[in-house]
Amino acid sequence: MRASPAAGHTPAPTLGQQTRTGTLHLAFEVRGGRTVLMREFQKAPLMIVRPFALPCGTLSVFVVNPTGGLLGGDHNEIQISVGPGAKALILTQSATRVQPSATGAAATQAVHLSVACGGRLEYYPERVLPFAGSRLHQTLRVNLDSGAQLGLTETLASGRVHAGERLAFVEYRSRTEVWCGPQRLYLDVLRLTPAPQTRAPGIWQHLDYAASGVFVGPGEIGNWPNVLGRLASGLSAGGAVWLRAAAARGPCLDADLYEARQSLRQQLFGAQPLKIRR
C-alpha cells in the first residue's frame, strides 16, 4: 500500500502527466440583515459566478469549471462555511466530467462543509459523469452545529450512455458523512468497480441515473417523498432525512429530485420553492 502524501503537499506529476489542483474556499455570513459572501479563495480550474440573492433571502452561488472536467490525477478541494443565520445555496453550472489519464491515476475531490447554529447550507451539484476508463475518489464531510440546517443531493450517471459508455469507467468511490458535534447523523459509502459482466442487461437493469441525498432541519415530515420504483426517503439512525432515487433517463431523475427537494425544504426549513434560472 502506498503511503498518502503529507498534508498540504501535492506530489509532482510523473513524466508526460500534467495534473491540476483546483481550490475553492467560501465563507458566508450575515451583515446588515442579509447573507453575504465574506471571504473567497479561488484557484483554477474551480471558479464561481458572481453571487446573487434570491427573493427568499438565500444567497446563491454557481461553481464553474471552464476546462473539460477532472482528468486522472487532478485534485479538487472545496471548503464552504456558513455562519449563524446565513443562508447559502451552492449549485454547479454543469456536470462533473471525469476523464481518464494516461497512467490510470484517479481524479480526487475533497469537499468539506460546515454550518453554524441558525445557518442553512444547500449543496446541489449537477451529476457526476464518468468517462470510459476513468477513476474518481471523492469524500464529502459536513459538520453541523446544533440548530444548523442542511440540504444535500448527489447524482451519478452510469457513464456517457448515448456514446455507448454505459458502466465503462474503472472505479467510482465516494464517502459522504454528516456530523452534528460528536454524533454522526448520516453515512453513505459507495464503491463501484464495473466488470464486463456488470455491463450486461439485468445488473442495473435499464436505470442509468442514480441520486442520493440528506436533509437536516427542525421541521417534521408529514408527507414523505416516495415514488414507487423511482424514489424513496426515510429517517437515518442519527435522525437525518435520507433520499434515494433512480431512473432510466436523466431528465426523469432530475424532475423527481426537484419535487422531493421542494417538499423537504418546505417541511424541514419552512422555505418557499426555489426558482433558479440557469
Side-chain angles (χ1 to χ4, degrees), residues 168-232:
F169 55 91
V170 175
E171 183 183 36
Y172 172 82
R173 187 188 302 177
S174 73
R175 179 185 179 93
T176 300
E177 51 189 318
V178 179
W179 292 77
C180 184
Q183 181 185 12
R184 186 165 65 192
L185 306 183
Y186 173 85
L187 173 65
D188 184 22
V189 179
L190 177 64
R191 184 182 181 188
L192 300 175
T193 54
Q197 64 269 22
T198 315
R199 300 177 193 129
I203 302 299
W204 269 24
Q205 298 183 3
H206 61 291
L207 306 180
D208 282 308
Y209 301 89
S212 61
V214 56
F215 292 76
V216 178
E220 295 185 359
I221 304 298
N223 181 23
W224 291 92
N226 289 291
V227 182
L228 185 62
R230 295 186 348 223
L231 185 143

Side-chain angles (χ1 to χ4, degrees), residues 5-60:
H9 174 70
T10 302
T14 58
L15 183 64
Q17 179 188 19
Q18 293 184 345
T19 60
R20 300 168 299 192
T21 300
T23 306
L24 182 64
H25 296 175
L26 305 175
F28 297 87
E29 298 181 13
V30 173
R31 291 293 184 271
R34 61 189 181 93
T35 299
V36 297
L37 179 57
M38 285 296 296
R39 295 181 301 279
E40 63 175 284
F41 176 79
Q42 306 176 53
K43 180 178 179 295
L46 289 178
M47 306 167 62
I48 64 168
V49 177
R50 182 178 179 181
F52 61 95
L54 301 177
C56 62
T58 296
L59 191 66
S60 179

